[in-house]
Amino acid sequence: MKTPRKRALITGITGQDGSYLSELLLEKDYEVHGIIRRSSTFNTDRIDHIYQDPHNPSASLFLHYGDLTDGTTLRRILEEVKPVEIYNLGAQSHVRVSFDSPEYTVDAVGMGSLRLLEAIRDYQHRTGIEVRFYQAGSSEMFGKVQEVPQKETTPFYPRSPYACAKAYAHWQTVNYRESYNLYACNGILFNHESPRRGETFVTRKITRAVAKILAGKQKKLFLGNLDSKRDWGYAKDYVRAMWMMLQQDEADDYVIATNETHSIKEFLDIAFTNVSLNWQDYVEFDPRYLRPAEVDLLIGDSTKAQQKLGWQPSVTFKELVHLMVDSDIKALEESKIMGDGFD
């Protein structure tokens, strides 16, 4: 008799991480369910290539309308799907935007995680079915860093509404694990990028600009603090770590990082040099992109994840930048042929 497929539920399935995680789980023969928000337009570009007709009995990916600000709907979806793994990736995840929309950010990121944890606790109590929960933490929680590099025991010092909300979600996850014996993990993920990164994030903003400048469609790129240093990895590597956390005998918290730090200037240098251009000829400072409170240096120590999970990053910083630049150049060329998209 064939073993039933595991069912996973992903919030934020249409984002960068959600799309890569969906692909990974489908490769591992999961039945994948995702929560998407209702809006006037569809935002499923990142998963359209794997989405199947829900009326097809062999379909493996299903989408449900819901929102992290709506606990009633989350409970209903949990009852319908009956997942054994839940990955909470949904968020208002842009740090700069969180200063402009602090209440919504905290409601979705902080209270959203609490609503999910409560739904899981109630569901598990009534059914006796163990649900394994992954909470997407962020290196932004370290903020004004208290030690270098940052590891699981480093104190948090959040410097934005987004980071404060993530710190709240982190400690609620720990609290539910210790208070109710839930299998609940925090992944404290440092910056991770890919060709699917949102276009308003600095890395993707840079690589799209490189492609457009090369094609003569853009003259200047305006950025904020070029001296910020981040620990940048590849999103595909990081979603693999998420899955690995939920396969362990005991739930725990893990920093996922490359253990290297690079400045935005370094990113610019590699990106523009990749197409034989000098970034200083095209990049200009714009104070609008500065945060009210800056986070200057983030570098993670992923020793625990390497030792306990056997996780390792597979893509170097330089390879990542080249991958993103090449992808955006290709996307721009294809949009010319198709007459849509990139512009």
Side-chain angles (χ1 to χ4, degrees), residues 286-330:
D286 189 333
R288 291 180 302 168
Y289 296 115
L290 293 177
R291 304 177 185 179
E294 284 289 337
V295 173
D296 295 319
L297 171 65
L298 292 173
I299 176 170
D301 180 354
S302 59
T303 301
K304 180 178 176 181
Q306 293 180 35
Q307 291 178 346
K308 289 197 169 185
L309 303 178
W311 178 84
Q312 288 277 357
S314 68
V315 175
T316 67
F317 176 66
K318 189 173 183 179
E319 289 170 343
L320 173 64
V321 180
H322 285 177
L323 177 72
M324 293 178 67
V325 171
D326 293 345
S327 174
D328 274 332
I329 290 172
K330 182 180 177 183

Side-chain angles (χ1 to χ4, degrees), residues 17 35 38 55 63 91 96-97 114 152 203 219-220 284 289-290 313 324 326:
D17 291 3
I35 297 177
R38 280 197 184 273
H55 301 294
L63 300 179
R96 181 63 190 84
V97 170
L114 180 63
E152 291 81 6
T203 51
K219 293 182 178 180
K220 293 290 182 181
E284 292 189 8
Y289 296 115
L290 293 177
M324 293 178 67
D326 293 345

